[in-house]
Amino acid sequence: MVQVFVCAVTAGVSGLLYLDFFTTGDFLPALGTAVLVASALAWSTARRGLGWRVAAFAAFPLIAVPFALHDTFDEGWMRVASEFGLGVAGGWARVLSVSVPAEPTGQVLVAVLLLLWSTAFASVLLALRSRAVLAPAGPLLAGFVAGLVVVASLQGAHLEAAAVCAALLVLLTFLRATTSVRMRAAAGGAAFLVFAVAAGVGAGAVASSADRLDPRPLHTDPVPPPDLITPLNEVRNQLITKPVRPLFTARTTGELVGIRTAALGHFDGTVWTSDDDYLVVGERLARDTSGAGVTARITLGELPPPFLPVVGRPNTVRFTTAAPKTIAFSATADSLLAERSWPPGTTYEVTGVQPLARDLTREAAPSSSAEFAAFREVPDTVPAGVLAQTLAVTSAAATPAEKLRAIEAHLRGLPYSLDAAPGHSYARISRLLGASQDGDDKAYAELHASAFAVMARVLGYPSRVAVGYRVREQVTTADAHAWAEVHFTGHGWVAFDPTDPAKTQRDTPQQPRMAPAPVPVPSDGSQKPTTTIAPPPGDPPVEPEPEYLRPALLAFAGLVLLVVLVVPIAKARRRHRRRRAPSAAARVVGAWEEAVDRLLERDLALTPERTPLEYARHAGARLGSSSVLLELADTTTTAIYGPAHLAPDAPERTWRLERTLSRSLYPGWRRLLRWRAHFDPRPLFARRRRR
């Protein structure tokens, strides 16, 4: 029993590795339930046939479905069955392709629970059925290593979980060593485990997350990007749209250059594009704390899909209305998209961090690591005029931050006009930078942002072009905008706006309607402002119930139903097998075992040191009558030691005695309690001890 407990605890400890993999700890109740139920089922079926063990292992859906797939209950059982099948068959493909941290639901959680279920079930089964010292350590170690592989790309060395798991494996190994020879083998195995875990922990403590072997890039399942050449071309098209159209409302906090929809990091000399992968995500997007915190509450109107507005480097997104079916995020472009369109009125809250250019010190340096090499690349055909103008504009600046501010100020001083020719290629940038100040060659945000990013790359700084909208409470097509961002070590992507906002013009829509429901108008025709009524001071806000409460209750109900159905069926099947035994002696002994089971249900257990006659006298003294039990014990003794002397009707007589004994155990009002004995599982577990 101690070994079973150690196996279950070790399997649970390996599940703690996923604390950084999932957005929240809501998966912990599912983890604990899966490990405990799998361990209990393995323990109860260890000495039974293969069919019992297969049936016990197949109880996994009773745990996985309520916890992982409760969000799909409203879509019908066909949808639930489909999601469960996909989670079992291909869940690990989703685990290795989903953007982390992931939501603890759906196919991803099904796959993780299946691993922990299998680990606990196999380790407990081997602990009870195998004599090999290290047998149960195999599944436990495999489950722990699989968890380490999944979380390899995340920060942290997981020292605590590794140390506890190693200690439990060593304890389990010594518990299974019962002889001196096996003790020496256990000592060797424990030494190997300690050495292996210590080496792994030491390497994990020294190596950064970027240096570890991570299988996630080997298997990706990205959401297809939109069939769009470049979002940058849409800036001018929106700015010249008449009349202007309301797109969304944005209530923001914090200082922002713009509300981003896309970021473009690849430039071929003609057009800015993006080839980033967008992976399915939940509420948690990233864990970046470098910069000032910013938030926005977005209510979508006529904004065309697929890009969703975000602020800064987004960390979380939470929909307060029905969310689109699939949300995908690119950690490289810091952009969010929906695979399908959304209805007007869709609302969500996004939080992030926004490093500010004014916070850059003289020591601030643009990132020079290989991770940002692609953002420093420029085509070999950089026009000489662009190179010369970049060096001339930045000649008086001493630090990278000052050079970028000089480029920003120079571009802001150039003429602005929507009548300028579209495009942002090398040719257009050359004309822009070579123009005089009399307005012979004008430009707008698209070209200004492109020129800034190219000039930053000429200096060797990682840069990209951001596309989005200016910060307004009500954003329209007239607010379309583009700016540039440069990555600084310790700061992240710092935004620079090379377009002077004072030179832009903005028309307002005549009657924008962003709210999904109309505002009631009083009968007198006057329009009164709406106000939000605060709740009375004495009424505290109602806390929503935890997300895991409903699945936990469903899992508990399923577990109770499993016990209610399995125990009576198992007892009836065993009684039938005993009564149909091939020999007369076996049928007599089967009647005796059934009688002992009935007595056990009345708390009269048979101890190994007592013979059938001794047990009959003891139980008879407790019950007040021993004639039936003594006759049954006497016939059983004859069947064990002298089966040839059994009377022909001995089997039928012993089974009649067993029925008589069962009825006599519940006299009078106790008959009302007889139904409870049918669900008592103790006889199923006491069989091995009696033998």
Side-chain angles (χ1 to χ4, degrees), residues 77-426:
W77 285 106
M78 291 297 294
R79 172 67 174 174
V80 174
S82 174
E83 286 293 308
F84 178 78
L86 292 173
V88 171
W92 279 100
R94 180 57 65 90
V95 169
L96 293 176
S97 62
V98 70
S99 179
V100 291
E103 282 295 298
T105 57
Q107 300 176 27
V108 174
L109 186 56
V110 169
V112 172
L113 290 180
L114 180 59
L115 174 65
L116 296 174
W117 178 278
S118 304
T119 299
F121 193 91
S123 61
V124 172
L125 202 61
L126 289 174
L128 297 176
R129 293 186 59 86
S130 175
R131 300 186 62 184
V133 175
L134 298 178
L140 295 172
L141 193 58
F144 187 80
V145 171
L148 285 178
V149 170
V150 172
V151 301
S153 62
L154 303 177
Q155 296 290 338
H158 311 288
L159 300 179
E160 298 84 358
V164 174
C165 185
L168 291 171
L169 287 175
V170 171
L171 174 62
L172 178 63
T173 302
F174 279 105
L175 286 174
R176 293 179 58 79
T178 57
T179 65
S180 59
V181 176
R182 301 180 72 188
M183 187 66 73
R184 287 194 294 270
F192 172 76
L193 288 174
V194 171
F195 173 78
V197 174
V201 169
V206 174
S208 66
S209 59
D211 299 326
R212 301 172 187 163
L213 176 62
D214 183 11
R216 298 179 61 81
L218 302 179
H219 179 88
T220 57
D221 186 19
V223 173
D227 187 14
L228 184 66
I229 297 177
T230 174
L232 193 56
N233 287 342
E234 299 298 318
V235 173
R236 182 175 182 273
N237 294 336
Q238 294 185 77
L239 290 174
I240 63 177
T241 298
K242 299 296 181 181
V244 297
R245 292 185 294 107
L247 300 178
F248 60 91
T249 60
R251 295 175 176 84
T252 62
T253 61
E255 185 173 345
L256 293 166
V257 171
I259 301 174
R260 189 193 318 105
T261 54
L264 312 175
H266 177 71
F267 183 64
D268 60 1
T270 303
V271 65
W272 284 90
T273 58
S274 173
D275 56 358
D276 304 301
D277 289 335
Y278 285 81
L279 304 179
V280 177
V281 293
E283 290 188 2
R284 182 68 63 87
L285 306 178
R287 293 183 177 178
D288 194 349
T289 58
S290 55
V294 290
T295 63
R297 182 179 177 87
I298 308 292
T299 300
L300 301 174
E302 300 180 27
L303 180 71
F307 293 106
L308 293 168
V310 297
V311 290
R313 174 166 174 77
N315 286 335
T316 64
V317 59
R318 185 176 66 87
F319 282 83
T320 57
T321 60
K325 189 64 177 179
T326 302
I327 302 296
F329 176 68
S330 171
T332 306
D334 297 326
S335 302
L336 197 66
L337 62 80
E339 194 172 9
R340 299 178 183 176
S341 60
W342 49 77
T346 299
T347 303
Y348 62 94
E349 297 175 353
V350 59
T351 65
V353 292
Q354 178 63 73
L356 301 176
R358 67 163 181 265
D359 295 334
L360 296 176
T361 62
R362 295 181 60 85
E363 292 76 19
S367 301
S368 58
S369 63
E371 180 183 358
F372 298 96
F375 295 96
R376 294 190 294 268
E377 294 179 354
V378 290
D380 297 334
T381 57
V382 179
V386 174
L387 180 60
Q389 189 68 12
T390 301
L391 298 178
V393 170
T394 60
S395 59
T399 66
E402 292 174 353
K403 292 178 184 292
L404 293 172
R405 293 190 186 103
I407 296 175
E408 182 183 45
H410 176 77
L411 294 174
R412 282 193 172 205
L414 298 179
Y416 178 91
S417 175
L418 292 177
D419 297 330
H424 49 269
S425 63
Y426 268 154

Side-chain angles (χ1 to χ4, degrees), residues 349-502:
E349 297 175 353
V350 59
T351 65
V353 292
Q354 178 63 73
L356 301 176
R358 67 163 181 265
D359 295 334
L360 296 176
T361 62
R362 295 181 60 85
E363 292 76 19
S367 301
S368 58
S369 63
E371 180 183 358
F372 298 96
F375 295 96
R376 294 190 294 268
E377 294 179 354
V378 290
D380 297 334
T381 57
V382 179
V386 174
L387 180 60
Q389 189 68 12
T390 301
L391 298 178
V393 170
T394 60
S395 59
T399 66
E402 292 174 353
K403 292 178 184 292
L404 293 172
R405 293 190 186 103
I407 296 175
E408 182 183 45
H410 176 77
L411 294 174
R412 282 193 172 205
L414 298 179
Y416 178 91
S417 175
L418 292 177
D419 297 330
H424 49 269
S425 63
Y426 268 154
R428 291 288 293 116
I429 295 174
S430 298
R431 292 178 58 192
L432 174 69
L433 297 180
S436 61
Q437 299 298 318
D438 58 2
D440 291 340
D441 192 6
K442 300 178 181 180
Y444 50 94
E446 172 189 346
L447 187 55
H448 287 173
S450 177
F452 185 99
V454 169
M455 296 172 75
R457 291 193 178 189
V458 167
L459 297 175
Y461 305 156
S463 62
R464 66 185 185 186
V465 173
V467 182
Y469 300 89
R470 291 194 180 278
V471 181
R472 316 278 189 189
E473 182 172 351
Q474 181 171 291
V475 180
T476 69
T477 52
D479 297 311
H481 192 48
W483 61 95
E485 296 177 345
V486 179
H487 198 280
F488 277 78
T489 302
H491 294 272
W493 288 104
V494 180
F496 293 86
D497 190 357
T499 304
D500 187 356

